[in-house]
Amino acid sequence: DETPPRIITSTPKSGDYVSFEADTFDLSVVTNELATCRWSYDATETYGAMTNNFICNDTFLQPSLSIGYMCSVTLPINNTEGAEENKFYVRCNDQPWLVGTPAESERNANAEPFEFIFTRPTDSITIDSVKPQGEQITTADQFTLNLEVKTSNGALNHTCSYSFSGFDTMIDFFDTGSPGLHLQIVDLKPNKYELYVRCVDETGDFDEEQVSFRVLKKSGAPLISRVWQNFRSEEHTSELQS
């Protein structure tokens, strides 16, 4: 074996967002051969100089996944205000069974590190507005209503859901998935409603809102509530004419 390990994939992937609320997050890498891995903030550090170890529990010919061997680590998040980018460098070394033997120097470590960049949002996902609220007037026994939710901040993908019975029974909006406007058309009978809304981004951060509105039915033709009448006597009319 003369080639160093290669990282096939990772969870999360480089470029993904991490939670605005978290101080740490878990990273798992999958290598094409049994290896040990380490990480550093410094791209120039060699594998031997790195002091932060991954946990690699797989054994030879018994990988965790069909595509390769897994190593995991918990990484810190830079929570300094205004800091969005978290950058880490990972190197792996093969043939771990040679550790402590005269042949340990024959192990093959990565000459170049694998760079991982994770983005922390500048703020957590936020529900900016929910519609409808207040009274909605209809003349029918069933009213078609547009539910509208606006979101901002957070990571790139926003998914909103709603319910009329509580946060335990949520249904995804029909038009949702990105920051901005989320839409759902519902048919409701005249009644008072409690609307529960939850929006979540790909990091798991979420925001919730609860609003009330009423669907009122106006039925029947307009009624005359008051009549004014102007009239004059014939005598008064003749006087005016003369």
Side-chain angles (χ1 to χ4, degrees):
D1 187 352
E2 298 178 353
T3 59
R6 178 170 53 89
I7 293 179
I8 301 171
T9 187
S10 68
T11 305
K13 298 186 185 306
S14 181
D16 285 352
Y17 278 79
V18 295
S19 171
F20 175 79
E21 304 291 343
D23 296 320
T24 62
F25 72 101
D26 295 329
L27 171 67
S28 295
V29 299
V30 179
T31 58
N32 65 325
E33 60 176 315
L34 188 65
T36 54
C37 299
R38 296 174 179 174
W39 69 270
S40 173
Y41 293 116
D42 186 353
T44 65
E45 277 191 348
T46 64
Y47 176 86
M50 291 178 171
T51 58
N52 303 298
N53 292 299
F54 280 70
I55 297 174
C56 305
N57 289 326
D58 287 355
T59 56
F60 186 59
L61 297 181
Q62 292 185 323
S64 296
L65 303 174
S66 60
I67 61 173
Y69 297 85
M70 180 180 292
C71 292
S72 303
V73 71
T74 298
L75 295 173
I77 296 175
N78 184 358
N79 281 324
T80 305
E81 185 176 352
E84 296 182 46
E85 199 172 75
N86 289 259
K87 190 176 294 186
F88 306 91
Y89 298 94
V90 177
R91 296 178 193 261
C92 299
N93 203 356
D94 70 3
Q95 303 177 92
W97 56 85
L98 296 180
V99 174
T101 71
E104 185 171 359
S105 61
E106 297 178 10
R107 299 183 70 192
N108 303 291
N110 298 125
E112 296 294 328
F114 295 91
E115 182 182 73
F116 287 87
I117 300 175
F118 302 101
T119 303
R120 175 179 176 266
T122 55
D123 204 347
S124 185
I125 182 173
T126 304
I127 295 176
D128 299 318
S129 65
V130 177
K131 293 180 181 180
Q133 297 186 37
E135 293 184 350
Q136 311 297 311
I137 306 299
T138 180
T139 58
D141 292 330
Q142 192 158 293
F143 186 47
T144 299
L145 194 64
N146 291 321
L147 305 182
E148 296 184 7
V149 174
K150 288 185 178 179
T151 60
S152 61
N153 301 319
L156 292 178
N157 300 317
H158 292 187
T159 301
C160 292
S161 54
Y162 73 98
S163 174
F164 292 110
S165 58
F167 289 111
D168 294 332
T169 55
M170 305 298 288
I171 303 170
D172 284 349
F173 274 62
F174 177 77
D175 187 357
T176 188
S178 301
L181 190 62
H182 310 262
L183 301 172
Q184 177 67 43
I185 298 175
V186 293
D187 292 325
L188 300 174
K189 295 180 179 180
N191 206 341
K192 182 179 180 181
Y193 293 92
E194 293 289 329
L195 175 61
Y196 302 84
V197 175
R198 177 188 294 124
C199 296
V200 59
D201 66 17
E202 66 263 38
T203 72
D205 291 344
F206 67 92
D207 193 14
E208 294 178 337
E209 288 286 345
Q210 179 182 347
V211 299
S212 301
F213 66 91
R214 185 189 296 270
V215 177
L216 296 177
K217 179 181 178 183
K218 287 180 75 174
S219 59
L223 299 177
I224 297 175
S225 60
R226 184 175 297 179
V227 176
W228 286 268
Q229 184 176 6
N230 248 341
F231 64 91
R232 298 169 180 167
S233 66
E234 292 181 5
E235 181 181 351
H236 185 62
T237 303
S238 62
E239 288 177 359
L240 289 174
Q241 291 175 345
S242 63

PDB file of all heavy atoms in Angstrom, residues 204-232:
ATOM      1  N   GLY A 204     -31.780  22.590  11.345  1.00  0.00           N
ATOM      2  CA  GLY A 204     -32.671  22.200  12.428  1.00  0.00           C
ATOM      3  C   GLY A 204     -33.155  23.373  13.257  1.00  0.00           C
ATOM      4  O   GLY A 204     -34.048  23.212  14.096  1.00  0.00           O
ATOM      5  N   ASP A 205     -32.614  24.569  13.043  1.00  0.00           N
ATOM      6  CA  ASP A 205     -33.114  25.756  13.735  1.00  0.00           C
ATOM      7  C   ASP A 205     -34.530  26.045  13.255  1.00  0.00           C
ATOM      8  O   ASP A 205     -34.851  25.858  12.078  1.00  0.00           O
ATOM      9  CB  ASP A 205     -32.224  26.967  13.454  1.00  0.00           C
ATOM     10  CG  ASP A 205     -30.859  26.841  14.106  1.00  0.00           C
ATOM     11  OD1 ASP A 205     -30.709  25.995  15.008  1.00  0.00           O
ATOM     12  OD2 ASP A 205     -29.933  27.568  13.702  1.00  0.00           O
ATOM     13  N   PHE A 206     -35.399  26.544  14.151  1.00  0.00           N
ATOM     14  CA  PHE A 206     -36.782  26.785  13.762  1.00  0.00           C
ATOM     15  C   PHE A 206     -37.367  27.967  14.524  1.00  0.00           C
ATOM     16  O   PHE A 206     -36.818  28.421  15.538  1.00  0.00           O
ATOM     17  CB  PHE A 206     -37.643  25.533  14.000  1.00  0.00           C
ATOM     18  CG  PHE A 206     -37.813  25.166  15.450  1.00  0.00           C
ATOM     19  CD1 PHE A 206     -38.887  25.643  16.191  1.00  0.00           C
ATOM     20  CD2 PHE A 206     -36.887  24.343  16.091  1.00  0.00           C
ATOM     21  CE1 PHE A 206     -39.038  25.306  17.535  1.00  0.00           C
ATOM     22  CE2 PHE A 206     -37.029  24.000  17.429  1.00  0.00           C
ATOM     23  CZ  PHE A 206     -38.109  24.488  18.151  1.00  0.00           C
ATOM     24  N   ASP A 207     -38.491  28.452  14.016  1.00  0.00           N
ATOM     25  CA  ASP A 207     -39.268  29.491  14.676  1.00  0.00           C
ATOM     26  C   ASP A 207     -40.735  29.093  14.597  1.00  0.00           C
ATOM     27  O   ASP A 207     -41.147  28.426  13.633  1.00  0.00           O
ATOM     28  CB  ASP A 207     -39.031  30.846  14.005  1.00  0.00           C
ATOM     29  CG  ASP A 207     -39.560  32.008  14.853  1.00  0.00           C
ATOM     30  OD1 ASP A 207     -39.859  31.785  16.048  1.00  0.00           O
ATOM     31  OD2 ASP A 207     -39.665  33.127  14.318  1.00  0.00           O
ATOM     32  N   GLU A 208     -41.529  29.488  15.599  1.00  0.00           N
ATOM     33  CA  GLU A 208     -42.937  29.132  15.646  1.00  0.00           C
ATOM     34  C   GLU A 208     -43.796  30.360  15.935  1.00  0.00           C
ATOM     35  O   GLU A 208     -43.366  31.269  16.635  1.00  0.00           O
ATOM     36  CB  GLU A 208     -43.199  28.074  16.727  1.00  0.00           C
ATOM     37  CG  GLU A 208     -42.549  26.724  16.454  1.00  0.00           C
ATOM     38  CD  GLU A 208     -42.800  25.724  17.565  1.00  0.00           C
ATOM     39  OE1 GLU A 208     -43.077  26.155  18.707  1.00  0.00           O
ATOM     40  OE2 GLU A 208     -42.696  24.512  17.300  1.00  0.00           O
ATOM     41  N   GLU A 209     -45.008  30.361  15.370  1.00  0.00           N
ATOM     42  CA  GLU A 209     -45.977  31.427  15.627  1.00  0.00           C
ATOM     43  C   GLU A 209     -47.364  30.811  15.765  1.00  0.00           C
ATOM     44  O   GLU A 209     -47.660  29.776  15.163  1.00  0.00           O
ATOM     45  CB  GLU A 209     -45.992  32.453  14.494  1.00  0.00           C
ATOM     46  CG  GLU A 209     -44.775  33.353  14.424  1.00  0.00           C
ATOM     47  CD  GLU A 209     -44.766  34.413  15.521  1.00  0.00           C
ATOM     48  OE1 GLU A 209     -45.822  34.639  16.153  1.00  0.00           O
ATOM     49  OE2 GLU A 209     -43.701  35.005  15.736  1.00  0.00           O
ATOM     50  N   GLN A 210     -48.222  31.477  16.555  1.00  0.00           N
ATOM     51  CA  GLN A 210     -49.618  31.080  16.699  1.00  0.00           C
ATOM     52  C   GLN A 210     -50.482  32.326  16.570  1.00  0.00           C
ATOM     53  O   GLN A 210     -50.274  33.311  17.286  1.00  0.00           O
ATOM     54  CB  GLN A 210     -49.856  30.409  18.054  1.00  0.00           C
ATOM     55  CG  GLN A 210     -51.305  29.992  18.293  1.00  0.00           C
ATOM     56  CD  GLN A 210     -51.506  29.374  19.666  1.00  0.00           C
ATOM     57  OE1 GLN A 210     -50.535  29.032  20.354  1.00  0.00           O
ATOM     58  NE2 GLN A 210     -52.756  29.236  20.077  1.00  0.00           N
ATOM     59  N   VAL A 211     -51.423  32.302  15.629  1.00  0.00           N
ATOM     60  CA  VAL A 211     -52.299  33.447  15.407  1.00  0.00           C
ATOM     61  C   VAL A 211     -53.750  32.978  15.389  1.00  0.00           C
ATOM     62  O   VAL A 211     -54.037  31.795  15.163  1.00  0.00           O
ATOM     63  CB  VAL A 211     -51.970  34.180  14.089  1.00  0.00           C
ATOM     64  CG1 VAL A 211     -50.543  34.705  14.108  1.00  0.00           C
ATOM     65  CG2 VAL A 211     -52.199  33.284  12.884  1.00  0.00           C
ATOM     66  N   SER A 212     -54.674  33.921  15.600  1.00  0.00           N
ATOM     67  CA  SER A 212     -56.104  33.636  15.584  1.00  0.00           C
ATOM     68  C   SER A 212     -56.765  34.416  14.463  1.00  0.00           C
ATOM     69  O   SER A 212     -56.363  35.540  14.152  1.00  0.00           O
ATOM     70  CB  SER A 212     -56.749  34.021  16.918  1.00  0.00           C
ATOM     71  OG  SER A 212     -56.157  33.327  17.993  1.00  0.00           O
ATOM     72  N   PHE A 213     -57.797  33.830  13.848  1.00  0.00           N
ATOM     73  CA  PHE A 213     -58.631  34.552  12.891  1.00  0.00           C
ATOM     74  C   PHE A 213     -60.013  33.907  12.876  1.00  0.00           C
ATOM     75  O   PHE A 213     -60.213  32.799  13.352  1.00  0.00           O
ATOM     76  CB  PHE A 213     -58.000  34.558  11.487  1.00  0.00           C
ATOM     77  CG  PHE A 213     -57.907  33.220  10.823  1.00  0.00           C
ATOM     78  CD1 PHE A 213     -58.923  32.745  10.009  1.00  0.00           C
ATOM     79  CD2 PHE A 213     -56.773  32.422  10.995  1.00  0.00           C
ATOM     80  CE1 PHE A 213     -58.833  31.518   9.386  1.00  0.00           C
ATOM     81  CE2 PHE A 213     -56.667  31.194  10.377  1.00  0.00           C
ATOM     82  CZ  PHE A 213     -57.702  30.741   9.573  1.00  0.00           C
ATOM     83  N   ARG A 214     -60.964  34.642  12.313  1.00  0.00           N
ATOM     84  CA  ARG A 214     -62.348  34.177  12.270  1.00  0.00           C
ATOM     85  C   ARG A 214     -62.889  34.312  10.850  1.00  0.00           C
ATOM     86  O   ARG A 214     -62.686  35.340  10.198  1.00  0.00           O
ATOM     87  CB  ARG A 214     -63.207  34.993  13.233  1.00  0.00           C
ATOM     88  CG  ARG A 214     -64.650  34.511  13.352  1.00  0.00           C
ATOM     89  CD  ARG A 214     -65.471  35.508  14.154  1.00  0.00           C
ATOM     90  NE  ARG A 214     -65.002  35.616  15.512  1.00  0.00           N
ATOM     91  CZ  ARG A 214     -65.441  34.864  16.520  1.00  0.00           C
ATOM     92  NH1 ARG A 214     -66.348  33.925  16.283  1.00  0.00           N
ATOM     93  NH2 ARG A 214     -64.976  35.032  17.740  1.00  0.00           N
ATOM     94  N   VAL A 215     -63.569  33.275  10.382  1.00  0.00           N
ATOM     95  CA  VAL A 215     -64.273  33.319   9.113  1.00  0.00           C
ATOM     96  C   VAL A 215     -65.745  33.575   9.415  1.00  0.00           C
ATOM     97  O   VAL A 215     -66.401  32.770  10.082  1.00  0.00           O
ATOM     98  CB  VAL A 215     -64.101  32.011   8.321  1.00  0.00           C
ATOM     99  CG1 VAL A 215     -64.921  32.065   7.035  1.00  0.00           C
ATOM    100  CG2 VAL A 215     -62.632  31.764   8.002  1.00  0.00           C
ATOM    101  N   LEU A 216     -66.273  34.728   8.930  1.00  0.00           N
ATOM    102  CA  LEU A 216     -67.653  35.116   9.180  1.00  0.00           C
ATOM    103  C   LEU A 216     -68.464  35.033   7.890  1.00  0.00           C
ATOM    104  O   LEU A 216     -67.996  35.440   6.826  1.00  0.00           O
ATOM    105  CB  LEU A 216     -67.718  36.547   9.716  1.00  0.00           C
ATOM    106  CG  LEU A 216     -67.067  36.789  11.082  1.00  0.00           C
ATOM    107  CD1 LEU A 216     -67.159  38.259  11.439  1.00  0.00           C
ATOM    108  CD2 LEU A 216     -67.737  35.941  12.151  1.00  0.00           C
ATOM    109  N   LYS A 217     -69.699  34.534   8.006  1.00  0.00           N
ATOM    110  CA  LYS A 217     -70.580  34.426   6.849  1.00  0.00           C
ATOM    111  C   LYS A 217     -71.647  35.513   6.916  1.00  0.00           C
ATOM    112  O   LYS A 217     -72.354  35.636   7.912  1.00  0.00           O
ATOM    113  CB  LYS A 217     -71.238  33.046   6.809  1.00  0.00           C
ATOM    114  CG  LYS A 217     -72.190  32.870   5.625  1.00  0.00           C
ATOM    115  CD  LYS A 217     -72.843  31.505   5.644  1.00  0.00           C
ATOM    116  CE  LYS A 217     -73.816  31.371   4.473  1.00  0.00           C
ATOM    117  NZ  LYS A 217     -74.524  30.072   4.492  1.00  0.00           N
ATOM    118  N   LYS A 218     -71.751  36.306   5.833  1.00  0.00           N
ATOM    119  CA  LYS A 218     -72.820  37.288   5.693  1.00  0.00           C
ATOM    120  C   LYS A 218     -73.883  36.665   4.809  1.00  0.00           C
ATOM    121  O   LYS A 218     -73.638  36.353   3.647  1.00  0.00           O
ATOM    122  CB  LYS A 218     -72.301  38.581   5.056  1.00  0.00           C
ATOM    123  CG  LYS A 218     -71.449  39.421   5.973  1.00  0.00           C
ATOM    124  CD  LYS A 218     -70.969  40.685   5.279  1.00  0.00           C
ATOM    125  CE  LYS A 218     -72.073  41.695   5.147  1.00  0.00           C
ATOM    126  NZ  LYS A 218     -71.581  42.986   4.592  1.00  0.00           N
ATOM    127  N   SER A 219     -75.081  36.447   5.344  1.00  0.00           N
ATOM    128  CA  SER A 219     -76.126  35.759   4.602  1.00  0.00           C
ATOM    129  C   SER A 219     -77.339  36.651   4.436  1.00  0.00           C
ATOM    130  O   SER A 219     -77.584  37.559   5.230  1.00  0.00           O
ATOM    131  CB  SER A 219     -76.521  34.463   5.307  1.00  0.00           C
ATOM    132  OG  SER A 219     -76.974  34.742   6.615  1.00  0.00           O
ATOM    133  N   GLY A 220     -78.156  36.396   3.354  1.00  0.00           N
ATOM    134  CA  GLY A 220     -79.396  37.126   3.129  1.00  0.00           C
ATOM    135  C   GLY A 220     -79.200  38.421   2.376  1.00  0.00           C
ATOM    136  O   GLY A 220     -78.106  38.952   2.273  1.00  0.00           O
ATOM    137  N   ALA A 221     -80.323  38.959   1.844  1.00  0.00           N
ATOM    138  CA  ALA A 221     -80.283  40.227   1.110  1.00  0.00           C
ATOM    139  C   ALA A 221     -80.167  41.382   2.097  1.00  0.00           C
ATOM    140  O   ALA A 221     -80.506  41.253   3.272  1.00  0.00           O
ATOM    141  CB  ALA A 221     -81.540  40.371   0.269  1.00  0.00           C
ATOM    142  N   PRO A 222     -79.740  42.549   1.641  1.00  0.00           N
ATOM    143  CA  PRO A 222     -79.652  43.712   2.528  1.00  0.00           C
ATOM    144  C   PRO A 222     -81.022  44.071   3.083  1.00  0.00           C
ATOM    145  O   PRO A 222     -82.044  43.984   2.393  1.00  0.00           O
ATOM    146  CB  PRO A 222     -79.118  44.817   1.616  1.00  0.00           C
ATOM    147  CG  PRO A 222     -78.473  44.107   0.486  1.00  0.00           C
ATOM    148  CD  PRO A 222     -79.229  42.839   0.299  1.00  0.00           C
ATOM    149  N   LEU A 223     -81.096  44.474   4.353  1.00  0.00           N
ATOM    150  CA  LEU A 223     -82.336  44.852   5.016  1.00  0.00           C
ATOM    151  C   LEU A 223     -82.400  46.366   5.171  1.00  0.00           C
ATOM    152  O   LEU A 223     -81.393  47.024   5.400  1.00  0.00           O
ATOM    153  CB  LEU A 223     -82.427  44.183   6.395  1.00  0.00           C
ATOM    154  CG  LEU A 223     -82.423  42.654   6.395  1.00  0.00           C
ATOM    155  CD1 LEU A 223     -82.432  42.148   7.830  1.00  0.00           C
ATOM    156  CD2 LEU A 223     -83.618  42.103   5.628  1.00  0.00           C
ATOM    157  N   ILE A 224     -83.635  46.927   5.045  1.00  0.00           N
ATOM    158  CA  ILE A 224     -83.845  48.354   5.270  1.00  0.00           C
ATOM    159  C   ILE A 224     -83.978  48.582   6.760  1.00  0.00           C
ATOM    160  O   ILE A 224     -84.883  48.044   7.412  1.00  0.00           O
ATOM    161  CB  ILE A 224     -85.099  48.850   4.530  1.00  0.00           C
ATOM    162  CG1 ILE A 224     -84.912  48.673   3.022  1.00  0.00           C
ATOM    163  CG2 ILE A 224     -85.393  50.309   4.878  1.00  0.00           C
ATOM    164  CD1 ILE A 224     -86.141  49.020   2.218  1.00  0.00           C
ATOM    165  N   SER A 225     -83.085  49.321   7.312  1.00  0.00           N
ATOM    166  CA  SER A 225     -83.114  49.546   8.751  1.00  0.00           C
ATOM    167  C   SER A 225     -83.806  50.845   9.150  1.00  0.00           C
ATOM    168  O   SER A 225     -84.277  50.989  10.269  1.00  0.00           O
ATOM    169  CB  SER A 225     -81.682  49.546   9.303  1.00  0.00           C
ATOM    170  OG  SER A 225     -80.930  50.574   8.686  1.00  0.00           O
ATOM    171  N   ARG A 226     -83.905  51.847   8.220  1.00  0.00           N
ATOM    172  CA  ARG A 226     -84.545  53.110   8.545  1.00  0.00           C
ATOM    173  C   ARG A 226     -84.999  53.785   7.258  1.00  0.00           C
ATOM    174  O   ARG A 226     -84.341  53.676   6.229  1.00  0.00           O
ATOM    175  CB  ARG A 226     -83.584  54.024   9.301  1.00  0.00           C
ATOM    176  CG  ARG A 226     -84.205  55.326   9.775  1.00  0.00           C
ATOM    177  CD  ARG A 226     -83.239  56.126  10.611  1.00  0.00           C
ATOM    178  NE  ARG A 226     -82.877  55.409  11.833  1.00  0.00           N
ATOM    179  CZ  ARG A 226     -82.028  55.890  12.730  1.00  0.00           C
ATOM    180  NH1 ARG A 226     -81.443  57.058  12.528  1.00  0.00           N
ATOM    181  NH2 ARG A 226     -81.746  55.191  13.812  1.00  0.00           N
ATOM    182  N   VAL A 227     -86.155  54.507   7.317  1.00  0.00           N
ATOM    183  CA  VAL A 227     -86.703  55.199   6.164  1.00  0.00           C
ATOM    184  C   VAL A 227     -86.951  56.657   6.525  1.00  0.00           C
ATOM    185  O   VAL A 227     -87.527  56.958   7.577  1.00  0.00           O
ATOM    186  CB  VAL A 227     -88.023  54.552   5.685  1.00  0.00           C
ATOM    187  CG1 VAL A 227     -88.628  55.353   4.522  1.00  0.00           C
ATOM    188  CG2 VAL A 227     -87.783  53.109   5.264  1.00  0.00           C
ATOM    189  N   TRP A 228     -86.501  57.552   5.642  1.00  0.00           N
ATOM    190  CA  TRP A 228     -86.820  58.978   5.792  1.00  0.00           C
ATOM    191  C   TRP A 228     -87.789  59.368   4.676  1.00  0.00           C
ATOM    192  O   TRP A 228     -87.626  58.932   3.526  1.00  0.00           O
ATOM    193  CB  TRP A 228     -85.563  59.835   5.654  1.00  0.00           C
ATOM    194  CG  TRP A 228     -84.650  59.774   6.846  1.00  0.00           C
ATOM    195  CD1 TRP A 228     -84.649  60.604   7.915  1.00  0.00           C
ATOM    196  CD2 TRP A 228     -83.594  58.844   7.047  1.00  0.00           C
ATOM    197  NE1 TRP A 228     -83.671  60.252   8.803  1.00  0.00           N
ATOM    198  CE2 TRP A 228     -82.994  59.159   8.294  1.00  0.00           C
ATOM    199  CE3 TRP A 228     -83.097  57.760   6.327  1.00  0.00           C
ATOM    200  CZ2 TRP A 228     -81.940  58.453   8.818  1.00  0.00           C
ATOM    201  CZ3 TRP A 228     -82.047  57.043   6.845  1.00  0.00           C
ATOM    202  CH2 TRP A 228     -81.475  57.386   8.078  1.00  0.00           C
ATOM    203  N   GLN A 229     -88.786  60.191   5.012  1.00  0.00           N
ATOM    204  CA  GLN A 229     -89.765  60.624   4.009  1.00  0.00           C
ATOM    205  C   GLN A 229     -89.998  62.123   4.121  1.00  0.00           C
ATOM    206  O   GLN A 229     -90.196  62.643   5.222  1.00  0.00           O
ATOM    207  CB  GLN A 229     -91.086  59.871   4.187  1.00  0.00           C
ATOM    208  CG  GLN A 229     -92.096  60.210   3.115  1.00  0.00           C
ATOM    209  CD  GLN A 229     -93.357  59.395   3.248  1.00  0.00           C
ATOM    210  OE1 GLN A 229     -93.495  58.646   4.222  1.00  0.00           O
ATOM    211  NE2 GLN A 229     -94.262  59.526   2.305  1.00  0.00           N
ATOM    212  N   ASN A 230     -89.994  62.804   2.990  1.00  0.00           N
ATOM    213  CA  ASN A 230     -90.268  64.235   2.936  1.00  0.00           C
ATOM    214  C   ASN A 230     -91.635  64.447   2.282  1.00  0.00           C
ATOM    215  O   ASN A 230     -91.873  63.942   1.186  1.00  0.00           O
ATOM    216  CB  ASN A 230     -89.218  64.947   2.080  1.00  0.00           C
ATOM    217  CG  ASN A 230     -88.351  65.843   2.935  1.00  0.00           C
ATOM    218  OD1 ASN A 230     -88.738  66.187   4.045  1.00  0.00           O
ATOM    219  ND2 ASN A 230     -87.202  66.231   2.385  1.00  0.00           N
ATOM    220  N   PHE A 231     -92.563  65.118   2.940  1.00  0.00           N
ATOM    221  CA  PHE A 231     -93.866  65.404   2.330  1.00  0.00           C
ATOM    222  C   PHE A 231     -94.338  66.769   2.805  1.00  0.00           C
ATOM    223  O   PHE A 231     -93.968  67.253   3.868  1.00  0.00           O
ATOM    224  CB  PHE A 231     -94.895  64.320   2.667  1.00  0.00           C
ATOM    225  CG  PHE A 231     -95.226  64.236   4.125  1.00  0.00           C
ATOM    226  CD1 PHE A 231     -96.283  64.971   4.654  1.00  0.00           C
ATOM    227  CD2 PHE A 231     -94.476  63.435   4.973  1.00  0.00           C
ATOM    228  CE1 PHE A 231     -96.588  64.900   6.006  1.00  0.00           C
ATOM    229  CE2 PHE A 231     -94.782  63.372   6.317  1.00  0.00           C
ATOM    230  CZ  PHE A 231     -95.843  64.099   6.839  1.00  0.00           C
ATOM    231  N   ARG A 232     -95.221  67.400   1.979  1.00  0.00           N
ATOM    232  CA  ARG A 232     -95.774  68.710   2.286  1.00  0.00           C
ATOM    233  C   ARG A 232     -97.282  68.678   2.046  1.00  0.00           C
ATOM    234  O   ARG A 232     -97.756  67.954   1.172  1.00  0.00           O
ATOM    235  CB  ARG A 232     -95.157  69.793   1.401  1.00  0.00           C
ATOM    236  CG  ARG A 232     -93.666  69.954   1.594  1.00  0.00           C
ATOM    237  CD  ARG A 232     -93.103  70.826   0.516  1.00  0.00           C
ATOM    238  NE  ARG A 232     -91.657  70.997   0.682  1.00  0.00           N
ATOM    239  CZ  ARG A 232     -90.866  71.495  -0.237  1.00  0.00           C
ATOM    240  NH1 ARG A 232     -91.366  71.882  -1.408  1.00  0.00           N
ATOM    241  NH2 ARG A 232     -89.570  71.630  -0.024  1.00  0.00           N
TER     242      ARG A 232
END
